Amino acid sequence: MEEKVLAMLEELCDDAIVREDLDTELYETGLIDSLAFTELLVQIEDDFGVVISPSELERSEFDTPRKIIAQIQSRMA
């Protein structure tokens, strides 16, 4: 699952840094914007069956690859 999430992020961000540093701040660095964030949520739902509404999360809970993976894992359990 982690590898699939990292592949999604790498494609959306168009940067391999998301694989190299799981604590990269995606919003602060400009790697992801609100449109890409929405695309990511749709892909997560399609690939993992996990529905995450943008209103459920604070940006700080979903702003690094590590936190995104953790959110998906906790919702799949």
Side-chain angles (χ1 to χ4, degrees), residues 3 63 72:
E3 178 58 33
D63 61 353
I72 295 168

Side-chain angles (χ1 to χ4, degrees), residues 31-47:
L31 288 169
I32 199 167
D33 60 15
S34 57
L35 179 59
F37 176 72
T38 302
E39 289 178 34
L40 176 62
L41 294 180
V42 169
Q43 266 192 299
I44 290 169
E45 184 175 349
D46 289 348
D47 291 357

Side-chain angles (χ1 to χ4, degrees), residues 6 9-11 13-21 24 31:
L6 292 174
L9 285 171
E10 184 176 5
E11 184 177 325
C13 297
D14 197 28
D15 196 322
I17 188 76
V18 296
R19 289 180 181 276
E20 298 162 11
D21 181 3
T24 298
L31 288 169

